[in-house]
Structure formats: structure tokens, C-alpha cells
Amino acid sequence: MMRWLCRLASTRLTLFGMVFLAIGAGLSYDNPADISVWVLAGPLLLLALNLFAAILTQPGINRRPGLLMFHIGLLSICAMAAIGRLTFYEARVEVSQNSAFDVAAVDEISQGVFHQGELSQVRFVQQGYTVEYRPGLVRGITRSYLQVSDGRGGWLSQVVGDDTPLIIDGYRFYTTFNKGFAAILTWTPGQGEAITGILHMPSYPLFDYKQANSWTPPGSSEEIKFWLRLDTGMDREADWLLDVRNTDALLVVNNGEQRLELQPGQTANLPGGQLRYEALSSWMGYKIFYDPTLKWLFIAAMLTVLGLCLHYWDKFKHQSMTMIKDKQK
Amino acid sequence: MNSVFAELPWMWAGLFAYAIATLLAFRNVWQVGASDVAVLPNRQAEGNILLALVCGVLLIALALAVRWDRLGHGPFVNLFELLMSQLFSLGLIYSIVYWRVPDLRASAVVVMPLIWVLGTWILFMDPVDSRFPPTYHNNWLWAHVGFGKIFLSFSLVAAGLAGVILLRAIPCFTRYFAHMSDAALDQLAWRFMMLTLVFDSLMLIAGAVWAQDAWGRYWSWDALETSSFMTWLSIGAGIHVRLTYNIPTRLGALVILAIFFLAFTTYFGAPYYSEAAHKGVI
């Protein structure tokens, strides 16, 4: 057993592992879809085993506290990264203004096989948002205003955006460039209950030129096309603040037979029912990220560097300076 | 004077001071080599080199301050700013090391031309204004950039010492560095490589925390991340080889220069390779 461990702790194996890891890193550039995760996981596993065996068998490592801390730290980073990949969760979601986050609306989900978080427990309500733009439509600071459940029946105000995510139960919600306007519509069919919903338009100002969407009323086969004619005050040559409160929007409705223009609060009679344009609203797109190892990964990385510093301190302290000063040799 | 270019005269003056430091460094080494008897380097001349270096650092600091005041943000965004801030930080840290560690002063003949690679490069660049991305309003950016600058500076010092080791191996240059030994230079160079590993690690950690805040992921194998990971790995492998196999001094010097080249490419090559090197820029 010891003989095998000693072989596994070989310093040559470390070098091979490092070379393979470098190749794996090069192949992983830009996360190509056709490259297996094993180009990284394989060398990392090899290096982790090599490191583990070295810690157990090499007195040069396990009898030097700093070096031992450094190597255990490296091993911990590998372990944390692996656990992180098994338990992570990533997704995207659009949340409408004055609406609560709805786990059913989450899209583009990617998660580790052992992910056990409870995203459905997350409670927050999206309010408005503002985005500063500089000349040339260069995006500046994003502020998204939220009401977050305090867990005791109350709500707390919170502003998130750019590098300040909303963090609830380990889930991190990041604002994205993907945000836009929406129309709140009420459909009253000829018979039955009225329904109110929010129709999201494409991302703004990215798709400024096509703020359009369509909807088919329940029980009908006729698709209704909508177009928001926005007046946001956008000025490409000057500073500008994107804010739904400063925006007017006319809703153009087209059901194939007629074209109508509605102001907020106006109603249109369409085949099969009445459509009321209640108000202009907005939506914010969030990236959701969850990785329970983040804090531990950071601690492990810092301990690794601390171990390295301790080792160098000890090494430099004990080294004779005479070798540095032997200029006359 | 056009206010847009208000920082340029200060930067040119700083580069001129660096040029004087470079010429003095060569002159000092030449005087040591020209003597028929073994002589130690002239401390007075070394003092003049340090003075020129410090003047260069102060003038470039002034140029940075003028630009910072004009644009309202630090030199973090485009390549012109990156080069300008590196000219400052490399000069500053090398000045401190030059002052505190007399044994490495001969390395100025290698280090100063390397700094001048950046100096020449920036002279051909348009000092275009940059816009500060919203994700750069983060304190971890400072830690990331700060550790990165120390990392590259120590790597430069190690490369300078490695360059002297290799110059000593060329017969016609040996007498210019006769007052030093390969062993002493080698030991000093690898000490700086060890410090390089510490600060490179800290730079990666701070960068990962910033990336997590800014873009919702701590690592994504973009151009800079891939290249900087390879640099970190090469430093680790280099130190591992040096300590485990006790490789010949000259081979060790080549390894150090190769690592410095990789670090240099990471800093100044990756932004060319990928426009979205750090995605907050766009």
C-alpha cells in the first residue's frame, strides 16, 4: 500500500498532471460545447490523488506546516470546485413590475446532479428599475428596486444591480442587460370572466425597432398582434435615464382586420371580446446563480496562499544570506 | 494646449526619465566591465539611476492623475490606460526593489529595456478616452488590479535577474557582471518567482470574487482567465521543477524568462486576442 502511495506521490506525476491541466485549460477556452468536462476533471483528479498521496507520504510536505497548509488548501480547492459543479444551479428569469418572483417562469436551467436548493422558497417582488445611459447608448448603472420578504410576514426594500446581486437562501439574482417594457392587458370575453395579464415586449433598447409581440385569446384561433409605440426620451447623443415612469406608450393592436391605437385605460372591441390596455409596465431579466461552495472556496483559497506565505517566510528566515552576498566568488 | 491630451506631456517626460535611467544603467555596467581590475559597481552611479527612475515614476503618476481627473475614473479600461498604469507600477515597484536590494541592481540593464517595450508601445497608441463599465464600481477591482501589478513587477525583477544570468553566459559580456555569481542571482531570481506565485494567486482570487459579483460566475475560461490560469500553472510548475530537480542555473533562467513572457502575453496580448477579455468592458 505504502509503495503504491509513494509511486502516486511522484513529483514527475505532478509535472505530467500540470502539463495535462494546461492542455485542458487551453481546450476549455471559451467553453466550447464539443469539449468534454473531463479534459479538466481528468488532470485535476490525477493531481488531487498525487497531492493526497504526497501529503501522506512526503516528509518534505507533511512536516512543514506552511507547505502542508498550502497543499491541503490546493486539495480543498479541487474538492470544492468538484462539489460546486455537482450542486450548482444556473437559470434566467424575467420578472414583471409589481409581480412576485415565480419559479414557474424560470428558463434556461442548468444544474448539477446533486442540486437540492429550494428556489421555490425565494420571495421577492419586482418594482421598477432605472438604467443610466451615456452618449452613444453606453449602458451605465442599473438600479432594480425590490421588496424582499423578511421571512416574518414583512417586506424590506432593496436595490440591486450590476455588481450587487440579490442573495436569498444562497441564490444570487443578477440584473442583466435583458430588460424591457410590458403592457398590462385585460381581456373580457363575450362570455366568462375577465382575465388580466402582462405581455412582455422584446428587450429594450436592444430591440428598440421591434417592440412587438402577439397573443391569442383563450377560446380563439385569431392571433392579436401588439406593437408598443414608445416615447422614452431616448437621446443617443446625450445622457439618458431609462425609467418606465418617464415613458409614454401607445399600444397598437392589429387583429388582421382592424388596426387600433390605444392609450392606457382605453378599451377596444374585438371579435370575441373586449381588450383593455390598462397601463404600461416593465420587466427585468435576472441571471440566477447558486453554488453552496462559494464561501468555502474563498476560505480554502485564502488559506492556501497563507500556507504559501508561511512556508516562504520560514524558508527565507532560515536561509543564510551569505549565499546572496558571495559576489567575489 | 488641447485638454484632451493634457496627460501626454507628463507621460513623455516620465518616459524620458526612464530613458535616462536606462542609459545610466548601461553606462554603469559598461564601466564595471571596462576596468582591467575587478571593481564593484559605483554606488554613486546607482544612486543616479534610482533618482532618474523615481523622477520617471513621479512624472507618470502625474500623467495618470491628470487623466484620472479628466475622465473621472482610474486607468483600468483600455489598453492605453493599461500600459500607462503598468509603466507607473513597474517603475515604482522596481525602484523600491532597486533601492532595498542592492544585489539585483545589475538587472536594470535587462529590466529597463523591458519597461521600454511598453514605453515604445504606448508612444504609438492613440490616447483614446474610455468609459467606465458599471461592473467596475467594485472594491475587489482594486485588489485584483493591485495584486496583479505587484505580480507582474516581481515577475519582471525575476526576469531581469534571469537575463543577467544568461548575459553572463555569453563570453563577451561575462566581465560586465563578473562581480556577481550565478548561484546568488539564481537564488534571488527564484525568491522573486515565489513572491510572484503568491501575488498571482491573490490576483486570481480577488479577480474571481469580483467576477462573481460582476458577472455572476467566478470563472468562465474567457481569454484572460484561460491565459492567467496557464501563467499561474507555469509559475507553480517552474518552482516545482526548480525545487525538486535543482535544474541548472541557466535552464532555470530560461524557465523564468518563459514564465515572464507568458505573464506579459496575458497582460498585453489577451486584450488583443479577445475584445471581450473581461466582459464588463462591453
Side-chain angles (χ1 to χ4, degrees), chain A residues 42-61:
Chain A
L44 277 173
L45 189 64
L46 178 70
L47 282 170
L49 289 172
N50 172 251
L51 209 55
F52 184 65
I55 289 168
L56 290 181
T57 60
Q58 303 295 316
I61 293 174

Side-chain angles (χ1 to χ4, degrees), chain A residues 305-322:
Chain A
V305 177
L306 183 66
L308 199 59
C309 292
L310 285 174
H311 175 63
Y312 288 160
W313 178 260
D314 196 45
K315 190 179 172 70
F316 292 168
K317 199 172 66 179
H318 288 102
Q319 266 180 359
S320 167
M321 290 303 287
T322 52

Side-chain angles (χ1 to χ4, degrees), chain A residues 81-219:
Chain A
I83 295 169
R85 288 314 293 169
L86 293 171
T87 54
F88 84 103
Y89 180 91
E90 269 184 44
R92 294 187 179 270
V93 67
E94 292 178 6
V95 188
S96 306
Q97 188 179 356
N98 297 324
S99 298
F101 163 71
D102 180 6
V103 73
V106 170
D107 200 10
E108 296 181 39
I109 299 168
S110 158
Q111 63 183 45
V113 288
F114 296 124
H115 173 71
Q116 287 188 325
E118 299 206 357
L119 187 58
S120 57
Q121 300 301 311
V122 171
R123 298 265 184 279
F124 73 90
V125 174
Q126 175 70 43
Q127 298 193 306
Y129 65 80
T130 60
V131 185
E132 294 174 6
Y133 282 89
R134 285 167 286 186
L137 275 190
V138 176
R139 189 160 52 92
I141 293 170
T142 300
R143 294 184 184 87
S144 182
Y145 300 91
L146 308 173
Q147 289 286 315
V148 181
S149 169
D150 64 3
R152 298 186 297 275
W155 296 88
L156 301 169
S157 295
Q158 196 169 337
V159 183
V160 300
D162 301 315
D163 57 356
T164 309
L166 168 70
I167 306 174
I168 304 177
D169 295 339
Y171 288 96
R172 293 163 168 260
F173 290 75
Y174 295 86
T175 56
T176 64
F177 68 91
N178 190 32
K179 77 282 172 197
F181 291 101
I184 302 176
L185 304 173
T186 298
W187 172 255
T188 309
Q191 292 177 329
E193 290 285 307
I195 51 169
T196 299
I198 303 174
L199 189 68
H200 288 194
M201 297 299 170
S203 183
Y204 189 89
L206 183 64
F207 296 111
D208 174 38
Y209 59 95
K210 56 170 185 181
Q211 288 295 297
N213 205 342
S214 60
W215 178 66
T216 306

Side-chain angles (χ1 to χ4, degrees), chain B residues 71-188:
Chain B
L71 297 181
H73 64 76
F76 304 117
V77 185
N78 63 25
L79 192 59
F80 179 82
E81 292 171 352
L82 193 66
L83 287 169
M84 203 170 167
S85 66
Q86 287 295 357
L87 280 167
F88 165 72
S89 60
L90 291 176
L92 176 68
I93 294 171
Y94 187 66
S95 301
I96 294 169
V97 172
Y98 190 89
W99 170 43
R100 299 302 302 165
V101 191
D103 298 284
L104 57 65
R105 288 180 181 168
S107 68
V109 292
V110 179
V111 168
M112 291 313 295
L114 286 174
I115 290 180
W116 255 99
V117 171
L118 303 184
T120 309
W121 192 351
I122 202 168
L123 287 174
F124 288 98
M125 287 205 71
D126 189 11
V128 286
D129 291 356
S130 61
R131 299 236 167 94
F132 207 59
T135 47
Y136 280 39
H137 294 277
N138 189 303
N139 291 335
W140 283 100
L141 167 72
W142 289 89
H144 176 61
V145 170
F147 289 135
K149 289 191 182 309
I150 301 172
F151 145 64
L152 193 67
S153 300
F154 284 164
S155 175
L156 176 72
V157 174
L161 290 163
V164 172
I165 292 170
L166 294 176
L167 282 174
R168 279 168 53 86
I170 303 170
C172 62
F173 289 125
T174 305
R175 63 196 176 103
Y176 295 99
F177 305 99
H179 59 290
M180 311 185 82
S181 75
D182 278 355
L185 288 166
D186 177 67
Q187 192 176 14
L188 202 51

